[in-house]
Amino acid sequence: MPFWHEHIRSWERRWQEAGLSPLPKVTLAPPDRPEDFTLNVFSLLKLYKGDGSALTKAVLEPLGSEVAGYELVKGFLNVRVSRDFWRRFLTEIQEKADQGYTKVQALAGRVAIFEYPSPNTNKPLHLGHLRNIALGQAVSALWERAGATVRRVNLYNDRGIHIAKSMVGWLRFFSPKTPQSEGKKGDHFVGDCYVAFEKAYKTEVEALMAQGVPHAEALTQAPLFQEAQEILRRWEANDPEIHQLWRKMNDWVYQGFEETFHRLGVQFDRIYYESQTYTLGKAVIEEGLAKGIFERGADGAVWVDLTSEGLGRKVLLRRDGTSVYITQDLGTADLRYRDFPDLTHSIYVIANEQDHHMQSLIAILKRLQRPYAGAIYHLSYGMVELPTGRMKTREGTVVDADDLLDEMRVRALDLMDEGTPSHLREKIAEAVGQAAIRFYLLRVEPKKNIVFDPAESIDLKGFTGPFLQYGYVRAHRVREKAEVQGERVGPPPETPPLMPEEAALLRQLYALPSFLEAAAVNYNPALIAHYGYELTRCYNEFYQKLPILRAEEPVRRFRLALSYAYEVAIQAVLEALHIPLVTYM
């Protein structure tokens, strides 16, 4: 992975001034090498006709005393930098950590709108939503660290057939019960109504099929489905009785969602509601019909033919005039552009089940010549499954987010040291439990599916969020103990001869800006998660094998500065992944 740290930029400027072209590409040296950096000079080697000595002189002379040793291996020039190079690096971390070390400028000037988690209001947030939220929070935080202006928005899918089903479920199986009367969070209560509907609906479909009705017809002929369709029709006709029930049930859900969002530290700059944007979408569809972009079928349904884009035909309005998901998405896209006219990127965090839907949305907006169509990016992510298989809301087998958060908090309490102050135990357990979930969901590339294992996710010695948290706690304690002894962390006056553990940690620390940038540019928090793990592994080896506060001067001051540099770096990693910081574990 290339580096964009100011030191390397300085090297590049000196090479350019010396007339060197093409410029060497700088990466960390492989772990089995004693040097610090590897310079890829294959192209230059050809220009120098294989003369390694002349090539080495041309590349290293502009760097002067910063190079303490080197070895040319084929097209790779491995370089060990001077101890003074590392002294200046540690000094810069202390003096301007947020100027090019923990914050970079790769995305400066971008204005990005992140939409997540966009839940339906017919069920509680579940494990899949937790991955959505983790990605939305992490990638948006990475974009901010890379210099972008970020706005976070949420869209409540608060109308449509699924919401109508939960309303029928309440009317048929729960009325006049309320979340308060049942002692349940509102979103969980409404989710129960939805599951009850689906179970009864499945029984009706099976009964019709037993009478010889084809499956596709049974799905629409089932009395409960017919009732839900009638509820939806009456809702779109502004039936006051239906709207009153709809508002009451949605309010139950919103209150439940807010409790979970608050627990997760989720905040939005703007909230949209499908019930308010679907009419805007209908106006867009009328515009498309007038321009001949869309077509109305003989049954009254409105379609768009996207076969030339390889997307087939897409329905935009049902034959009874009711809207579908893409109806409101068209309206929301227009409204968002009016709200944020300076946006350069509109990022939708949506599961890969909606890949075709998002491709169709972008294609339609391009046909309508919307100026923001090219700004849309679908941050697509894979499913989260359990060791027992895929979750299914309609069968009541989904892992609710609240339940999983509670479970992980209990697991964290069980692992906690008995010496942990009693007044901190619950707070720390909550932070550790959330770290376990978030890191496990982010350590895998977004496009890949995940099988979530609660026990593995909280292993303090594994590839986990709590492992990183514990590294931060160690470094924080080192600094606290030093301050108790009357010593404040300061720039090291010199760098003593490096031990292997010190050199390895320095190299990893130096890589932070490039990983922050790569994770942001590639919408991939897994890069920074893996980096954080390797960084903490290096710090633990340094911490366990070398004394810090018991070392003699000047080694003591150097190692204290090195430990503090890790504290700065891992804090940036944890914040980028939206993992809570703790100072005691």
Side-chain angles (χ1 to χ4, degrees):
M1 180 174 295
F3 292 89
W4 292 269
H5 197 279
E6 184 56 36
H7 293 119
I8 302 304
R9 291 195 179 97
S10 171
W11 289 6
E12 291 173 346
R13 286 194 295 270
R14 281 182 262 174
W15 285 330
Q16 288 173 338
E17 291 169 0
L20 201 64
S21 181
L23 300 182
K25 295 180 180 178
V26 185
T27 61
L28 276 181
D32 60 343
R33 297 291 311 181
E35 296 86 8
D36 301 306
F37 301 114
T38 293
L39 281 55
N40 185 328
V41 292
F42 267 103
S43 298
L44 287 169
L45 195 59
K46 293 179 181 178
L47 292 177
Y48 281 85
K49 299 180 180 179
D51 187 342
S53 297
L55 168 64
T56 300
K57 181 179 180 182
V59 172
L60 297 186
E61 269 194 354
L63 307 185
S65 61
E66 290 190 351
V67 175
Y70 64 88
E71 182 178 5
L72 180 65
V73 181
K74 297 182 179 180
F76 297 102
L77 182 57
N78 298 299
V79 173
R80 187 176 74 255
V81 295
S82 67
R83 285 185 277 162
D84 189 61
F85 178 98
W86 291 124
R87 181 192 63 78
R88 288 187 287 111
F89 169 59
L90 293 177
T91 299
E92 287 177 10
I93 290 178
Q94 294 188 29
E95 293 178 348
K96 48 183 181 180
D98 61 348
Q99 300 175 32
Y101 185 64
T102 63
K103 293 183 180 178
V104 294
Q105 294 299 310
L107 298 176
R110 274 71 160 186
V111 178
I113 312 301
F114 283 81
E115 181 194 296
Y116 64 95
S118 303
N120 294 334
T121 58
N122 67 317
K123 56 190 175 185
L125 301 172
H126 54 64
L127 179 54
H129 287 117
L130 287 179
R131 187 178 194 187
N132 182 298
I133 291 169
L135 281 169
Q137 288 183 308
V139 179
S140 61
L142 285 164
W143 271 58
E144 284 181 321
R145 283 191 175 271
T149 298
V150 168
R151 297 290 180 266
R152 298 167 178 85
V153 304
N154 185 19
L155 170 70
Y156 282 124
N157 295 299
D158 63 340
R159 58 154 303 284
I161 192 64
H162 288 81
I163 282 68
K165 288 178 177 180
S166 63
M167 292 166 69
V168 173
W170 183 80
L171 289 168
R172 283 288 200 96
F173 310 112
F174 287 85
S175 176
K177 295 177 182 177
T178 68
Q180 292 75 22
S181 70
E182 300 305 293
K184 275 200 165 188
K185 279 182 78 224
D187 51 337
H188 288 251
F189 178 75
V190 173
D192 290 344
C193 297
Y194 179 77
V195 170
F197 173 95
E198 286 291 346
K199 288 182 176 178
Y201 172 45
K202 180 180 179 182
T203 300
E204 289 184 349
V205 170
E206 290 174 348
L208 287 171
M209 291 175 63
Q211 297 171 19
V213 179
H215 182 252
E217 294 181 22
L219 290 173
T220 58
Q221 290 180 14
L224 276 172
F225 183 80
Q226 293 286 330
E227 190 174 343
Q229 283 284 72
E230 177 61 14
I231 289 280
L232 180 58
R233 188 197 64 77
R234 289 173 62 189
W235 186 92
E236 294 207 7
N238 291 315
D239 182 301
E241 181 182 356
I242 295 301
H243 268 255
Q244 183 180 13
L245 174 60
W246 168 77
R247 282 191 295 271
K248 178 169 66 175
M249 294 186 69
N250 271 342
D251 285 344
W252 291 340
V253 175
Y254 295 146
Q255 184 175 352
F257 282 174
E258 282 305 311
E259 291 178 30
T260 307
F261 287 154
H262 178 75
R263 184 175 186 178
L264 293 168
V266 178
Q267 295 180 316
F268 302 108
D269 297 289
R270 188 72 52 88
I271 294 178
Y272 296 97
Y273 299 87
E274 183 182 349
S275 58
Q276 297 173 359
T277 62
Y278 86 102
T279 54
L280 299 176
K282 285 187 172 183
V284 173
I285 291 170
E286 290 298 325
E287 174 192 338
L289 283 168
K291 292 180 177 179
I293 299 172
F294 308 147
E295 58 186 276
R296 191 183 298 277
D299 62 354
V302 178
W303 296 79
V304 60
D305 188 351
L306 300 175
T307 52
S308 60
E309 288 93 336
L311 299 170
R313 285 165 58 84
K314 180 80 172 178
V315 66
L316 305 177
L317 281 178
R318 296 188 184 93
R319 60 186 179 182
D320 61 0
T322 56
S323 58
V324 292
Y325 275 123
I326 204 162
T327 313
Q328 63 87 11
D329 284 340
L330 291 167
T332 304
D334 266 4
L335 180 58
R336 185 171 301 159
Y337 183 63
R338 290 200 293 271
D339 289 343
F340 303 100
D342 57 345
L343 70 83
T344 61
H345 295 75
S346 184
I347 299 157
Y348 292 68
V349 185
I350 302 178
N352 58 15
E353 289 181 318
Q354 300 299 323
D355 283 354
H356 182 271
H357 175 89
M358 287 302 301
Q359 292 165 7
S360 299
L361 175 65
I362 295 170
I364 292 169
L365 291 170
K366 285 181 177 179
R367 287 200 183 185
L368 291 167
Q369 297 184 328
R370 292 301 195 259
Y372 58 82
I376 295 176
Y377 178 82
H378 177 203
L379 177 46
S380 175
Y381 62 91
M383 296 293 101
V384 185
E385 300 178 0
L386 300 170
T388 54
R390 186 172 178 179
M391 301 179 296
K392 297 179 181 179
T393 302
R394 63 190 60 190
E395 295 180 10
T397 60
V398 161
V399 175
D400 290 335
D402 298 305
D403 294 342
L404 181 60
L405 287 166
D406 289 343
E407 178 187 342
M408 298 310 297
R409 179 180 53 79
V410 171
R411 285 178 180 267
L413 281 170
D414 291 341
L415 293 173
M416 200 167 292
D417 191 300
E418 292 182 0
T420 305
S422 58
H423 68 286
L424 295 176
R425 290 179 65 84
E426 287 291 335
K427 183 178 180 180
I428 293 173
E430 177 70 20
V432 172
Q434 285 200 31
I437 295 170
R438 289 178 186 276
F439 190 88
Y440 202 96
L441 297 175
L442 292 172
R443 70 182 192 175
V444 177
E445 291 186 11
K447 291 185 181 297
K448 294 183 178 180
N449 291 347
I450 295 174
V451 177
F452 184 80
D453 185 335
E456 182 184 345
S457 74
I458 204 166
D459 184 356
L460 292 176
K461 297 181 180 179
F463 180 28
T464 67
F467 177 75
L468 272 63
Q469 283 180 315
Y470 193 61
Y472 175 79
V473 168
R474 275 182 162 173
H476 187 79
R477 282 186 182 173
V478 167
R479 181 164 56 86
E480 282 187 331
K481 288 179 181 178
E483 291 173 353
V484 167
Q485 296 172 14
E487 181 175 1
R488 299 190 65 82
V489 176
E494 62 180 275
T495 300
L498 295 176
M499 300 296 289
E501 295 81 9
E502 294 168 324
L505 180 55
L506 280 167
R507 293 176 200 137
Q508 283 296 322
L509 287 167
Y510 198 83
L512 175 62
S514 60
F515 276 90
L516 286 171
E517 181 169 331
V521 170
N522 293 288
Y523 302 89
N524 187 4
L527 295 174
I528 202 69
H530 282 257
Y531 167 79
Y533 171 74
E534 287 300 322
L535 176 66
T536 300
R537 188 184 57 78
C538 286
Y539 179 76
N540 285 345
E541 290 194 12
F542 160 73
Y543 177 90
Q544 291 165 358
K545 294 183 179 179
L546 302 175
I548 301 176
L549 299 181
R550 291 184 289 104
E552 298 293 332
E553 296 291 2
V555 174
R556 173 187 170 96
R557 289 186 65 183
F558 169 75
R559 288 180 181 168
L560 187 56
L562 183 55
S563 180
Y564 175 70
Y566 166 78
E567 184 182 352
V568 169
I570 198 61
Q571 179 174 339
V573 169
L574 291 170
E575 289 176 350
L577 298 176
H578 219 274
I579 289 176
L581 295 174
V582 291
T583 56
Y584 199 104
M585 283 180 70

